[in-house]
Amino acid sequence: MKIIRVFLRRNSYTPTDIYSFYGLPPLSNLIPKHDEVHISCVFTWDKVKCEELAFQWEGQTNKPVKIGGPAFGSQADSFVQGMYIKPNIIFTTRGCNNQCPWCIVQKLEGNAKC
Ligand code: SF4
C-alpha cells in the first residue's frame, strides 16, 4: 500500500522519500500514485492546522485522507521504519516516567517500557 504522509512542518526527523510531504498539497499531477494520505500531527496545539491541512489534501486526491498522530491520541502499537520518522531513526522505549504537566506522553503511553 502506497501511503502519502503529510507533516505540518519539516524537521531533521521528517522522512524525505517521494511519498513524504509537508504543508499544502502540490498540484495533483505532482502527487505520486497512492492509496491513502495520512496527516501526521504531533502537538495538540497544531490540531486545527492539521485539520485544515487534511481538508486541503482531500481537495487534491480521491483517496482516503486520514488524520492522526500523538495529538489525536493515535495508538503507537507498532513501529514502521521510515513511515513517520526518517529511516534509521528508531524509538527504543515508549512512555515516560516523568509527569510534566504540559505533556500527554504519560497519559497516552504510561510509564516507560522497552
Ligand atoms: S513527560 Fe513528556 S515532556 Fe516530560 S520528560 Fe516525559 S516525554 Fe518529556
Side-chain angles (χ1 to χ4, degrees):
M1 178 180 277
K2 305 277 190 219
I3 299 174
I4 285 180
R5 291 95 66 224
V6 180
F7 305 90
L8 192 57
R9 54 186 76 85
R10 185 178 291 283
N11 62 41
S12 59
Y13 282 24
T14 309
T16 56
D17 61 88
I18 65 165
Y19 295 98
S20 171
F21 291 83
Y22 72 100
L24 296 172
L27 296 172
S28 56
N29 60 351
L30 296 176
I31 300 173
K33 287 192 186 314
H34 57 281
D35 302 302
E36 287 183 355
V37 175
H38 291 184
I39 310 293
S40 178
C41 194
V42 175
F43 301 113
T44 51
W45 56 85
D46 284 336
K47 286 171 78 173
V48 171
K49 286 182 183 168
C50 289
E51 287 165 350
E52 290 169 356
L53 206 50
F55 176 78
Q56 295 297 324
W57 275 85
E58 283 166 355
Q60 289 295 86
T61 179
N62 58 0
K63 304 294 183 182
V65 176
K66 298 179 177 176
I67 186 166
F72 287 90
S74 302
Q75 291 295 312
D77 298 328
S78 62
F79 183 79
V80 179
Q81 267 284 338
M83 182 66 106
Y84 301 107
I85 301 283
K86 246 183 201 170
N88 302 320
I89 297 173
I90 61 168
F91 294 96
T92 56
T93 61
R94 288 287 180 191
C96 182
N97 292 335
N98 296 322
Q99 297 187 353
C100 303
W102 58 83
C103 183
I104 62 171
V105 169
Q106 251 286 334
K107 294 177 191 82
L108 285 178
E109 300 179 353
N111 285 332
K113 50 196 165 292
C114 295

